[in-house]
Amino acid sequence: MTEITYLDAIREALTEEMERDPNVFCLGEDVGVFGGAFKVTEGLQARFGVNRVIDTPISEIAIIGAAAGAAHMGMRPVAEMQFADFIACGYDLLTNYVATSRYRTGLACPMVVRGPSGGYVRGGPFHSQNPEAAFIHTPGLKIVCPSTAEDAKGLLKSAIRDDDCVLYFEHKYLYRRIKGVMPAGDHLTPIGKARTARAGTDVSIITYGATVWRALEAADELAKANVSVEVIDLRTLSPLDDEAINATVKKTNRVVIVHEDTRTGGIAGEITARINEQCWEWLDAPVLRVTAHDVPLPNAPSLEDFVLPQTADIVAAAQRLLTY
Amino acid sequence: MTEITYLDAIREALTEEMERDPNVFCLGEDVGVFGGAFKVTEGLQARFGVNRVIDTPISEIAIIGAAAGAAHMGMRPVAEMQFADFIACGYDLLTNYVATSRYRTGLACPMVVRGPSGGYVRGGPFHSQNPEAAFIHTPGLKIVCPSTAEDAKGLLKSAIRDDDCVLYFEHKYLYRRIKGVMPAGDHLTPIGKARTARAGTDVSIITYGATVWRALEAADELAKANVSVEVIDLRTLSPLDDEAINATVKKTNRVVIVHEDTRTGGIAGEITARINEQCWEWLDAPVLRVTAHDVPLPNAPSLEDFVLPQTADIVAAAQRLLTY
Amino acid sequence: MAATGVAAKLPHAKKLELYYWMKLTRTLEERLVNLHRQNKLVGGLFRSLGQEADAVGSAFAIQPTDVLSSLTRNLGSLLIKGATPVEVIRQHMATADSPTRGRDLGLHFADIDRGFIGHISPLGDMVAVMAGVTLSFKLRGEARVGLVYLGDGATSTGAFHEGINFAAVQRCPLVVIVENNGYAYSTPIAKQSAATQFSDKAAGYGVAGDRADGNDVLAVYDVTKRAVDRARSGEGVTLIELVTYRRRGHAEHDNQSYVPDGEVERWATENDPIDRYVRVLIDREKVERAEIDAIDARALAEVDAATDAALASPQPAGADALSDVYANPSRVAAHWYRNK
Amino acid sequence: MAATGVAAKLPHAKKLELYYWMKLTRTLEERLVNLHRQNKLVGGLFRSLGQEADAVGSAFAIQPTDVLSSLTRNLGSLLIKGATPVEVIRQHMATADSPTRGRDLGLHFADIDRGFIGHISPLGDMVAVMAGVTLSFKLRGEARVGLVYLGDGATSTGAFHEGINFAAVQRCPLVVIVENNGYAYSTPIAKQSAATQFSDKAAGYGVAGDRADGNDVLAVYDVTKRAVDRARSGEGVTLIELVTYRRRGHAEHDNQSYVPDGEVERWATENDPIDRYVRVLIDREKVERAEIDAIDARALAEVDAATDAALASPQPAGADALSDVYANPSRVAAHWYRNK
Ligand SMILES: Cc1ncc(C[n+]2csc(CCOP(=O)(O)OP(=O)(O)O)c2C)c(N)n1
Ligand SMILES: Cc1ncc(C[n+]2csc(CCOP(=O)(O)OP(=O)(O)O)c2C)c(N)n1
Ligand SMILES: [Mg+2]
Ligand SMILES: [Mg+2]
């Protein structure tokens, strides 16, 4: 079995779904002839034609709005944000129109909005964002964040088939750094189900996206001191997999939530509140957060490294939990 | 001393600040001749002229962008969103430009974006929103939510004088229902400081905005059963007053966080996480949340009442805490 | 009032139909005003008084398989597309059996099968959405057309700009109608745009531009039909400005204090679209007054029946609010304290 | 190359200055390319090769007290407004003493005192911001003017639309320059807009529209100066399209696979703005080759000195990242695990 990169896995998902369903089409800036800023859609226009891989003007409002309109008519659009940061320009369309359409009027919006998110790549404040927090807050939107190549493929295929709008935040740090062997057949990763990236008994690390790999590094580190760490990869941020969260809390009784996003208002707060509500009695220590600092993400390597969560931070948090 | 409404208090703050500082000016849709959809700016254009109360096109991006540009040049713009819901259209400008400007380039954005937020008024999904969650998540923005007429005035005056952008979410349910006597002199409510709306010893209710009044009703109710409730009115959501939050937790050891906003991704999660981190040992029970349900806010009275948090819900949550 | 071009060729029955839709619109809105005064509606009431020709003449120019997205003042367009008076009243009363089951307001409702998508509040957004609806027509090679309405004020939004530009570049079969009714809430057009006329915006998007008297139902039909034909034959987007006037306030609560004295009255007496069209029917089409009275009676009877049905409709049960945020899961759980 | 209008009246020394700025731009960018290849820069490198006349000719037409907002390909404009080569190199190296202290990239930096505000990444936003900068000039009665640049691609953004419309209605003293360089990343202008030319957008906003050869520095100066004079005298906004060509990829990593064969070479050999201007200086202004060589040497010496200074600059300390999110509090606390 040959390994392919996380990036190729995304393209494979797009290719398979476009083969399977003629209603699936891609649209976005430079996705066609050029194959996208990161070459995710490379070759797709040559294969499927200009009507299935559409180069758009620089218009995030229109890209999202047009995807919604086409979705109403039974198409399955996959809209690309050149960088996930620019989804901010379509915030009104997504939160006010797309998220509410089924609820208000019964009109479905089966569409995917995907784009490269995340830092650790010296991208500076506008090419490194983790835009999930604002959308987790929006009923009507789903959000997935794959951390493995397998999930990059499986979640995108599920997202395309979902009957509602799924925001698919792929992590640009993982594009070419992570590889995997794709499961045979029609590989669908279910939306709403977390994954145990590593089983353990002493401390749980709940995370998603690029920091799954830092959590695994931290787990390796901690294993040297005989600390058994469980790493939960959320995969889907909306809806959250409460079952998986509760199970790991009840197993280890100690939790660190890790995210690359800034701390205040990030999803760790939500997860902490759910743990409080659902299994407070099982906690032997407070839930700790390891996250970015609350600043726009700066560009210089020294600054970015300081702001973003690092493996040592996760180790420190786990160690602190063990003092309780 | 004469009482004035919450709405008049906002106008009084604007008037005083415009008198005090020629750099202060208002801009927004229909704020001039018409005095705004809710008449908050009524009479201001007649008094200060068309250059200080500017009717704009329907352009939230431009209103926020223009406020930022004018703020760079030393002006103190107060931009109105006709309904806070439409701030969604300016999300990119606020989060990417305004919030990062000082941090990145040293350019100050001393500006206020204000607008009527909140429900309980049968406004339906687009005229009832509580947009704070997405912005609490944005370093560089401040957020205030007055619940009293006194704070409506005092926080707006402080917001106008703040050297950074302050989002001022006034609650339309309170506009004409709440009155207060304005403190004499230059009445400034400090940004970043919560208020004890009612002191108590058994349970703390942490809230802000319109639900402060529901929390107080719940406290009255609970007092009948000899439960002593402390109500903390946050007033400022960003930056949060950790000191006040910690103090009430340490006092009562039982906390309900109440907000009108939908639950998932709302600020209650953030506060729960902070309490976990800062004073977990002091908790005798899990932190509970009373919030809207996770749906777009529907229009029919029966539906709106069901979705939004009500006084009885707060009472139920407090009672549950007492069973621990 | 010129019945030139295609409008001139409309069969007599169709010309009477135009009158019927305008009259039904006005009668239904007047009923809504009554219900509003009786506190039977939930939320504000937005009228299209004096703009009925603009809504009706334009929607009359598309086919049943075409799709339109209506705005605040396009009740007439929705009626033509098959929305019924009882749906409209129920929607304003937020009843359990209203098109949105009490969830959204006024004309914010949709039915793809009948070919209409009501707007949402954030102005301009529907232009972007309709770019996508019509993109799907193009991608599938369907000979269908889309029609989207926006106000003079909404032309200032980024969503309008991005939406029409996208549709223009993609040559989507979309007709964009700017209803210039003089005001956006209290804001006169001079404070909305420095352009001489809204149809001047067409060139900037490389699309056809046109302009017509929005209170002349035949002229509206005519200008829209031409644009629809162009769209259907693959010639892309047209931006049409219809010049009309908003005779009521933004909503019923608005006292129009900002309107110059006499302006409303002048439009009411000199330029009411229904009065004007009655004169055309009588003078030029030789329609009998009795025939017109019969249509009026029919419209009234329909509105009466709809009112009765709507008044008998139930309010939604609170917990109904929890369904259909997603297809799956199809229901949100109620908070624990509501299940006690 | 016509030196008509105001450009014709430029004193000889000023004409040489125009050359200096273009040459300095190119020399500095070439240095950045070297540093980039040596892995000394942080992030991508965006060139203005072949567009130097557009940036320089336009910025040369405003006063020191005027404010401009530059875009990706306006290094020349920033230099004219007083940004120094060492600042530019430090900014690209993200050093501690760079204008943004290592926080932001490339030309994203600002100094209100010198009158420039670098852009942010989301395209079009600066048009809205500059509407506000110039609104403040109008409100205060200052005889100052603003200049904002955007690419052909950025004209498709809602922010551009709302910003220019706002400025137009308010008659702000703003000049909006659309740099039509043929592409937005890989997207050719035909997929960006269906308009024949970008200056066609002016009418839709009710503003003056103009268009010039962006590779003719005198023509650029001329068209901008006219617009600036209009703005300063209270006549409001002008939208100018400068036609130029992006000879490098979007950024240095882009191999321009989407560009038709020979297109870049044709622009390089037939329409390089510096070569063209050298011919004007020699043929018409009777400048000696030695004088031009001296300017070249001066530019190179400045860039050399700047390089030396920048290479000696320190990287920021990590914890510096925590200051100045707000004026008050002026510093964010480090997470506890970093203070161990
Ligand atoms: C983005 C946005 N901003 C503000 C509003 C508030 N608002 C509702 S209707 C309206 C005026 C609309 O005027 P126009 O587009 O001319 O339509 P008309 O009501 O005249 O038909 C405004 C400002 C809104 N709905 N959406
Ligand atoms: C709102 C937004 N969407 C997408 C991008 C990504 N992006 C950066 S530059 C660029 C192309 C810009 O083209 P143009 O405006 O013509 O400027 P040029 O680079 O040609 O000078 C794109 C799509 C962005 N910066 N902002
Ligand atoms: Mg209007
Ligand atoms: Mg370009």
Side-chain angles (χ1 to χ4, degrees):
Chain A
M1 304 291 262
T2 47
E3 285 198 319
I4 63 171
T5 62
Y6 180 102
L7 190 148
D8 289 334
I10 298 172
R11 190 185 309 112
E12 204 168 281
L14 289 172
T15 308
E16 286 183 16
E17 292 304 299
M18 291 178 75
E19 289 283 3
R20 187 188 56 81
D21 181 353
N23 291 310
V24 178
F25 72 102
C26 297
L27 73 168
E29 296 150 16
D30 307 297
V31 297
V33 179
F34 193 55
F38 288 92
K39 301 291 174 191
V40 170
T41 55
E42 188 162 43
L44 295 185
Q45 192 179 66
R47 179 160 181 170
F48 295 103
V50 289
N51 272 355
R52 308 241 351 242
V53 187
I54 300 175
D55 281 315
T56 70
I58 303 176
S59 299
E60 283 75 12
I61 300 174
I63 292 168
I64 292 169
H72 288 338
M73 305 312 293
M75 308 288 290
R76 295 266 163 172
V78 182
E80 174 175 300
M81 302 283 104
Q82 192 158 91
F83 285 83
D85 313 54
F86 304 127
I87 202 170
C89 301
Y91 184 77
D92 164 53
L93 255 288
L94 273 173
T95 60
N96 282 323
Y97 190 77
V98 174
T100 70
S101 167
R102 173 187 297 281
Y103 184 77
R104 295 182 306 103
T105 69
L107 278 192
C109 279
M111 57 188 266
V112 175
V113 181
R114 49 162 288 273
S117 68
Y120 297 110
V121 296
R122 295 30 173 139
F126 306 111
H127 290 78
S128 308
Q129 294 173 12
N130 299 285
E132 54 267 20
F135 300 107
I136 289 160
H137 172 256
T138 308
L141 300 177
K142 295 182 175 182
I143 307 174
V144 298
C145 295
S147 74
T148 65
E150 293 84 340
D151 286 349
K153 179 171 177 186
L155 284 171
L156 183 50
K157 286 172 63 92
S158 294
I160 290 171
R161 299 189 199 180
D162 199 275
D163 285 333
D164 289 301
C165 174
V166 180
L167 308 184
Y168 177 97
F169 294 126
E170 54 210 54
H171 203 296
K172 69 177 83 66
Y173 177 84
L174 303 179
Y175 269 157
R176 296 188 168 87
R177 286 186 180 82
I178 296 296
K179 292 185 176 180
V181 177
M182 293 304 110
D186 200 19
H187 167 51
L188 297 165
T189 307
I191 291 178
K193 293 281 169 232
R195 170 180 82 94
T196 304
R198 175 181 178 128
T201 52
D202 297 330
V203 176
S204 298
I205 303 176
I206 300 176
T207 188
Y208 60 94
T211 46
V212 167
W213 301 97
R214 279 177 166 58
L216 290 170
E217 273 173 31
D220 280 343
E221 191 84 15
L222 288 155
K224 291 181 200 153
N226 280 324
V227 179
S228 165
V229 173
E230 177 146 304
V231 178
I232 301 296
D233 174 2
L234 289 169
R235 303 202 286 200
T236 296
L237 302 189
S238 183
L240 275 170
D241 185 349
D242 285 316
E243 219 173 287
I245 293 170
N246 292 342
T248 195
V249 173
K250 290 179 184 175
K251 187 173 176 195
T252 68
N253 318 111
R254 290 178 169 80
V255 186
V256 191
I257 305 168
V258 180
H259 62 58
E260 186 188 319
D261 189 13
T262 46
R263 174 163 301 186
T264 299
I267 195 173
E270 176 61 29
I271 297 170
T272 308
R274 289 182 182 219
I275 292 174
N276 250 268
E277 289 162 343
Q278 297 169 357
C279 43
W280 181 75
E281 297 84 347
W282 294 81
L283 285 177
D284 287 343
V287 177
L288 295 184
R289 296 186 283 185
V290 173
T291 67
H293 288 83
D294 283 339
V295 303
L297 193 66
N299 177 40
S302 54
L303 299 175
E304 185 186 41
D305 288 345
F306 186 90
V307 171
L308 291 183
Q310 304 297 344
T311 304
D313 304 331
I314 306 174
V315 172
Q319 282 166 340
R320 178 159 168 177
L321 285 179
L322 293 167
T323 66
Y324 279 82
Chain B
M1 305 291 263
T2 48
E3 285 198 320
I4 63 172
T5 62
Y6 179 102
L7 190 149
D8 289 335
I10 298 172
R11 189 185 309 111
E12 204 168 281
L14 288 172
T15 309
E16 286 182 15
E17 293 304 298
M18 292 179 76
E19 288 283 5
R20 187 186 57 78
D21 181 353
N23 290 311
V24 179
F25 72 103
C26 297
L27 73 169
E29 296 150 16
D30 307 296
V31 296
V33 178
F34 193 55
F38 288 93
K39 301 291 176 192
V40 170
T41 54
E42 187 162 44
L44 295 185
Q45 191 180 67
R47 179 162 180 170
F48 295 103
V50 290
N51 272 354
R52 299 208 43 209
V53 187
I54 299 176
D55 281 316
T56 69
I58 303 176
S59 300
E60 284 74 12
I61 299 174
I63 292 169
I64 291 169
H72 288 337
M73 305 311 293
M75 308 288 289
R76 295 267 164 172
V78 182
E80 175 176 299
M81 302 284 103
Q82 192 158 91
F83 285 84
D85 314 55
F86 304 127
I87 202 170
C89 302
Y91 184 78
D92 164 51
L93 255 289
L94 273 172
T95 59
N96 281 323
Y97 190 77
V98 173
T100 69
S101 167
R102 174 187 296 283
Y103 185 77
R104 294 182 306 103
T105 69
L107 276 191
C109 277
M111 57 188 266
V112 175
V113 181
R114 48 161 289 274
S117 68
Y120 297 110
V121 296
R122 295 28 173 139
F126 306 112
H127 290 78
S128 308
Q129 293 172 13
N130 299 285
E132 55 267 19
F135 300 108
I136 289 160
H137 172 257
T138 309
L141 300 177
K142 295 182 174 182
I143 307 174
V144 298
C145 295
S147 74
T148 66
E150 294 83 341
D151 285 348
K153 179 171 177 185
L155 283 172
L156 183 50
K157 286 171 64 91
S158 294
I160 291 171
R161 298 189 200 181
D162 199 276
D163 285 333
D164 289 300
C165 175
V166 180
L167 308 185
Y168 177 98
F169 293 126
E170 53 211 57
H171 203 295
K172 68 176 85 65
Y173 177 84
L174 304 179
Y175 269 157
R176 295 187 169 89
R177 286 183 179 84
I178 296 296
K179 292 185 177 181
V181 177
M182 294 304 111
D186 200 19
H187 167 51
L188 297 164
T189 306
I191 292 178
K193 291 281 169 231
R195 171 180 81 92
T196 305
R198 174 179 176 131
T201 52
D202 298 331
V203 176
S204 297
I205 303 176
I206 300 177
T207 186
Y208 60 93
T211 46
V212 167
W213 301 98
R214 280 177 164 61
L216 290 170
E217 273 172 32
D220 280 344
E221 192 82 17
L222 288 156
K224 292 180 197 152
N226 280 324
V227 179
S228 166
V229 173
E230 178 146 302
V231 178
I232 301 296
D233 174 3
L234 289 169
R235 303 203 286 201
T236 297
L237 302 189
S238 183
L240 276 169
D241 186 350
D242 285 314
E243 219 173 287
I245 294 170
N246 293 341
T248 194
V249 173
K250 291 181 182 174
K251 189 173 175 193
T252 67
N253 317 112
R254 290 177 168 81
V255 186
V256 190
I257 304 169
V258 180
H259 61 59
E260 188 188 318
D261 188 13
T262 46
R263 175 163 300 185
T264 299
I267 194 173
E270 176 62 29
I271 297 170
T272 308
R274 289 182 183 219
I275 291 173
N276 251 267
E277 289 161 343
Q278 295 169 359
C279 42
W280 181 73
E281 297 84 348
W282 296 81
L283 286 177
D284 286 343
V287 177
L288 295 182
R289 295 186 285 185
V290 174
T291 66
H293 289 82
D294 283 338
V295 303
L297 194 65
N299 177 41
S302 53
L303 298 175
E304 185 184 42
D305 289 346
F306 186 90
V307 171
L308 291 183
Q310 304 298 344
T311 304
D313 304 332
I314 306 174
V315 171
Q319 281 166 341
R320 176 160 170 177
L321 284 179
L322 292 166
T323 65
Y324 280 82
Chain C
M1 195 176 238
T4 51
V6 283
K9 295 186 213 111
L10 271 178
H12 183 74
K14 290 275 174 200
K15 287 193 178 135
L16 285 177
E17 234 189 87
L18 280 172
Y19 174 75
Y20 163 72
W21 292 119
M22 290 202 285
K23 189 70 186 189
L24 180 63
T25 303
R26 186 164 296 181
T27 308
L28 179 53
E29 279 191 7
E30 281 165 356
R31 180 60 45 86
L32 289 170
V33 171
N34 289 340
L35 292 167
H36 187 55
R37 293 203 178 124
Q38 295 166 47
N39 270 319
K40 295 225 163 78
L41 305 189
V42 179
L45 177 62
F46 300 80
R47 295 285 314 267
S48 67
L49 182 67
Q51 299 186 220
E52 295 90 346
D54 130 18
V56 165
S58 53
F60 205 70
I62 64 173
Q63 300 295 318
T65 51
D66 296 335
V67 176
L68 66 74
S69 179
S70 54
L71 204 82
T72 327
R73 311 194 198 281
N74 298 114
L75 175 56
S77 318
L78 285 175
L79 294 171
I80 291 179
K81 287 302 282 179
T84 62
V86 68
E87 286 181 304
V88 172
I89 301 177
R90 284 178 175 144
Q91 180 67 7
H92 280 84
M93 293 176 70
T95 63
D97 54 4
S98 77
T100 64
R101 296 180 283 161
R103 292 170 176 205
D104 205 347
L105 303 148
L107 304 188
H108 296 195
F109 66 106
D111 184 351
I112 283 289
D113 291 336
R114 285 180 279 176
F116 60 84
I117 308 179
H119 66 299
I120 60 168
S121 296
L123 295 164
D125 287 8
M126 299 313 298
V127 182
V129 173
M130 287 302 292
V133 167
T134 53
L135 177 68
S136 80
F137 299 158
K138 185 192 124 183
L139 296 182
R140 287 173 161 163
E142 296 172 347
R144 298 165 76 183
V145 165
L147 179 59
V148 63
Y149 298 88
L150 73 156
D152 45 280
T155 61
S156 302
T157 62
F160 155 70
H161 174 72
E162 294 198 6
I164 190 173
N165 185 62
F166 183 105
V169 172
Q170 289 295 329
R171 288 185 86 82
C172 296
L174 180 63
V175 178
V176 179
I177 292 191
V178 177
E179 304 179 293
N180 174 0
N181 64 1
Y183 294 89
Y185 213 143
S186 76
T187 305
I189 50 171
K191 286 189 185 165
Q192 200 67 242
S193 170
T196 314
Q197 42 191 46
F198 290 93
S199 49
D200 287 351
K201 295 185 184 287
Y205 300 109
V207 303
D210 219 329
R211 194 169 196 253
D213 177 349
N215 285 15
D216 175 345
V217 71
L218 295 174
V220 171
Y221 173 81
D222 214 55
V223 73
T224 312
K225 187 68 168 61
R226 280 200 305 270
V228 165
D229 290 347
R230 292 184 63 257
R232 209 180 306 279
S233 64
E235 291 171 66
V237 177
T238 305
L239 173 71
I240 298 173
E241 176 180 1
L242 296 179
V243 182
T244 181
Y245 186 79
R246 196 194 74 202
R247 280 186 8 223
R248 297 290 303 168
H250 173 59
E252 286 299 283
H253 65 259
D254 165 11
N255 66 9
Q256 295 174 283
S257 53
Y258 48 84
V259 173
D261 278 350
E263 192 178 86
V264 172
E265 295 69 21
R266 201 164 53 248
W267 282 84
T269 53
E270 296 169 16
N271 208 344
D272 180 79
I274 298 186
D275 290 351
R276 281 177 64 183
Y277 194 51
V278 167
R279 284 198 295 277
V280 170
L281 290 178
I282 292 178
D283 296 353
R284 215 174 50 214
E285 298 291 324
K286 307 300 171 202
V287 174
E288 299 289 324
R289 173 59 73 179
E291 213 172 340
I292 288 172
D293 290 345
I295 294 175
D296 292 357
R298 181 182 147 211
L300 185 62
E302 287 174 2
V303 169
D304 281 343
T307 308
D308 291 344
L311 287 171
S313 289
Q315 285 295 302
D320 286 357
L322 301 180
S323 66
D324 302 315
V325 177
Y326 300 98
N328 171 26
S330 67
R331 211 177 160 79
V332 171
H335 295 329
W336 62 266
Y337 41 76
R338 289 295 174 79
N339 291 327
K340 278 195 320 164
Chain D
M1 192 176 239
T4 51
V6 282
K9 295 187 213 111
L10 272 177
H12 184 74
K14 290 275 174 199
K15 288 193 177 135
L16 286 177
E17 234 188 88
L18 281 172
Y19 174 75
Y20 164 72
W21 292 119
M22 291 202 285
K23 190 70 187 190
L24 181 63
T25 304
R26 186 164 295 181
T27 309
L28 179 53
E29 279 191 7
E30 282 166 356
R31 179 60 45 86
L32 288 170
V33 171
N34 289 340
L35 292 167
H36 187 54
R37 295 203 177 126
Q38 295 167 45
N39 271 319
K40 295 225 163 80
L41 305 189
V42 179
L45 176 62
F46 300 79
R47 293 286 313 267
S48 67
L49 181 67
Q51 298 186 220
E52 295 91 344
D54 131 17
V56 164
S58 53
F60 206 69
I62 64 172
Q63 300 294 318
T65 52
D66 296 335
V67 175
L68 66 75
S69 179
S70 54
L71 203 82
T72 327
R73 310 195 199 280
N74 299 115
L75 174 57
S77 317
L78 284 175
L79 294 171
I80 291 179
K81 288 300 283 180
T84 61
V86 68
E87 286 180 307
V88 172
I89 301 176
R90 284 178 174 147
Q91 180 67 7
H92 281 82
M93 293 177 69
T95 62
D97 54 4
S98 79
T100 65
R101 296 180 284 161
R103 292 172 175 202
D104 206 346
L105 304 148
L107 304 188
H108 296 195
F109 65 107
D111 184 349
I112 283 291
D113 293 335
R114 284 180 280 177
F116 60 85
I117 308 180
H119 66 299
I120 60 169
S121 296
L123 295 163
D125 287 9
M126 300 313 297
V127 182
V129 173
M130 287 301 292
V133 166
T134 52
L135 177 68
S136 81
F137 298 158
K138 185 191 125 183
L139 296 181
R140 288 174 162 162
E142 296 172 347
R144 297 165 76 183
V145 165
L147 179 59
V148 64
Y149 298 88
L150 72 156
D152 45 281
T155 62
S156 302
T157 64
F160 156 70
H161 174 71
E162 293 199 8
I164 190 173
N165 186 61
F166 183 105
V169 173
Q170 290 295 329
R171 289 184 85 80
C172 296
L174 180 63
V175 178
V176 178
I177 292 190
V178 177
E179 304 178 294
N180 173 359
N181 63 1
Y183 292 91
Y185 212 142
S186 75
T187 305
I189 52 173
K191 287 189 184 166
Q192 201 68 244
S193 171
T196 314
Q197 43 190 45
F198 290 93
S199 48
D200 287 351
K201 295 185 183 286
Y205 301 110
V207 304
D210 220 329
R211 194 168 196 253
D213 176 350
N215 285 13
D216 174 346
V217 71
L218 295 175
V220 171
Y221 172 81
D222 214 54
V223 73
T224 313
K225 186 69 168 59
R226 280 200 306 271
V228 166
D229 289 347
R230 292 183 63 258
R232 209 181 305 280
S233 62
E235 291 171 67
V237 177
T238 304
L239 174 71
I240 298 172
E241 176 181 359
L242 296 179
V243 182
T244 179
Y245 186 79
R246 197 195 73 202
R247 274 171 32 209
R248 297 291 302 169
H250 174 59
E252 286 299 283
H253 65 261
D254 164 11
N255 67 8
Q256 294 173 284
S257 52
Y258 48 84
V259 172
D261 278 350
E263 192 177 86
V264 172
E265 295 68 23
R266 201 165 54 249
W267 281 84
T269 51
E270 295 169 17
N271 209 344
D272 180 78
I274 298 185
D275 291 351
R276 282 177 65 183
Y277 194 50
V278 167
R279 285 199 294 276
V280 171
L281 289 178
I282 291 178
D283 295 352
R284 215 174 50 216
E285 298 289 324
K286 308 300 173 204
V287 174
E288 299 288 324
R289 174 58 72 179
E291 213 172 340
I292 289 172
D293 291 345
I295 294 175
D296 292 358
R298 182 182 146 209
L300 185 62
E302 286 174 3
V303 170
D304 281 342
T307 309
D308 291 344
L311 287 172
S313 289
Q315 284 296 303
D320 285 358
L322 301 179
S323 66
D324 303 313
V325 177
Y326 300 99
N328 172 27
S330 66
R331 212 178 159 80
V332 172
H335 294 330
W336 63 266
Y337 41 75
R338 290 295 175 79
N339 290 325
K340 279 193 320 165

